[in-house]
Amino acid sequence: MLRRFDKLPRRMQNPAVKRYYDILKKKQASMVLKRLFDVTASAILIVLLSPVMAAIAVLIKMDSPGPVLFRQVRVTQYGRQFRICKFRTMVDKAESLGGQVTTSGDMRVTRIGKKLRGCRLDELPQLFNVLMGDMTFVGTRPEVVRYVRAYTDEMTATLLLPAGITSEASILYKDEERLMTDAQNADQVYIEQVLPEKMVYNLKSLEDFNFISDIRTMIRTVLAVIR
């Protein structure tokens, strides 16, 4: 359920966000179904995929030194910060060796990490984030704090709903790393070019939001990964 508009973070109390807020306010039933689905599906998948996740954990430990999981502060609904959970796909302490955006051919990506990223298996631990309510299956991908600070007033409307594992923008930009291969400053290119382009789709998804469209996006994500 949505908070009252006057209870939103002050930064989100602007006319651009109000337009999307009014649209979502009329879709409370879909929001309830969305949360019920998130809890049920994430719990079932965690149980069913636990052997797969255990096997991946062993492969990561065998491939390179460091923790199995990568945890990082991201931003979700209403600007709340949380720690996203993913399988580690880069060398330990990779952020100290480069920017926060990964480019194609990034030498920090491990051998097993490259394979996990290719089929998005590195995101399986996010099922726990979904179960706890920090994330949802379909929604705007959670960004790091510094990127959220670069949001325009309209972009902050994406924080009306929890951050997601997948989205229309995620499908269209699944090869995002390749787009920044030749960038001298990948972080700058992401903030000034890639992020605004992705936000066009994220904001459109808010306008068209309903539970059935979420299911379609999940199916499209699976098909995109298979291809």
Side-chain angles (χ1 to χ4, degrees):
M1 304 293 283
L2 286 174
R3 290 182 183 175
R4 283 173 34 186
F5 189 78
D6 61 357
K7 296 298 183 180
L8 296 180
R10 187 172 299 277
R11 184 186 178 193
M12 295 177 67
Q13 294 182 38
N14 64 71
V17 171
K18 185 63 163 64
R19 185 171 77 85
Y20 295 97
Y21 179 90
D22 289 341
I23 292 173
L24 293 174
K25 191 70 174 175
K26 300 174 183 177
K27 302 181 179 182
Q28 300 278 34
S30 282
M31 294 177 69
V32 172
L33 285 174
K34 180 183 181 72
R35 182 55 189 157
L36 290 174
F37 176 84
D38 283 347
V39 172
T40 304
S42 60
I44 292 173
L45 288 173
I46 286 170
V47 173
L48 293 179
L49 296 174
S50 56
V52 176
M53 290 192 277
I56 291 174
V58 172
L59 290 173
I60 291 173
K61 292 299 289 185
M62 292 174 61
D63 184 51
S64 64
V68 167
L69 298 176
F70 168 74
R71 305 196 70 187
Q72 184 183 54
V73 175
R74 299 287 181 95
V75 180
T76 188
Q77 189 176 33
Y78 307 133
R80 181 171 61 84
Q81 295 181 18
F82 75 104
R83 294 183 70 83
I84 195 171
C85 191
K86 304 173 69 173
F87 281 122
R88 180 175 60 84
T89 60
M90 304 177 80
V91 297
D92 193 22
K93 298 181 175 60
E95 289 183 315
S96 64
L97 304 175
Q100 293 181 316
V101 174
T102 308
T103 59
S104 181
D106 197 316
M107 298 301 292
R108 296 174 298 170
V109 178
T110 63
R111 182 181 57 176
I112 292 299
K114 184 176 182 180
K115 297 182 183 299
L116 294 176
R117 284 170 176 252
C119 47
R120 297 188 69 171
L121 289 176
D122 60 313
E123 301 193 10
L124 286 181
Q126 289 172 47
L127 290 171
F128 292 96
N129 289 125
V130 173
L131 184 62
M132 293 186 292
D134 293 327
M135 294 180 67
T136 180
F137 278 102
V138 179
T140 301
R141 287 293 297 164
E143 299 286 3
V144 296
V145 176
R146 64 169 296 198
Y147 293 159
V148 174
R149 287 174 180 159
Y151 280 10
T152 63
D153 283 352
E154 186 177 27
M155 288 178 183
T156 62
T158 59
L159 301 177
L160 288 170
L161 296 178
I165 292 179
T166 188
S167 65
E168 290 297 317
S170 297
I171 297 171
L172 294 170
Y173 284 82
K174 64 185 179 67
D175 295 323
E176 178 183 302
E177 295 176 3
R178 296 182 182 179
L179 298 176
M180 296 180 288
T181 299
D182 299 323
Q184 293 184 346
N185 187 328
D187 285 338
Q188 183 178 355
V189 171
Y190 183 79
I191 291 174
E192 296 180 357
Q193 180 181 332
V194 178
L195 182 60
E197 291 176 2
K198 289 167 66 175
M199 277 298 179
V200 171
Y201 297 100
N202 290 329
L203 291 169
K204 183 68 167 58
S205 293
L206 287 184
E207 292 180 335
D208 300 334
F209 168 73
N210 63 68
F211 180 66
I212 300 303
S213 68
D214 274 10
I215 300 300
R216 285 198 295 263
T217 298
M218 292 177 66
I219 293 172
R220 289 189 59 208
T221 299
V222 172
L223 294 176
V225 170
I226 292 174
R227 286 197 296 268

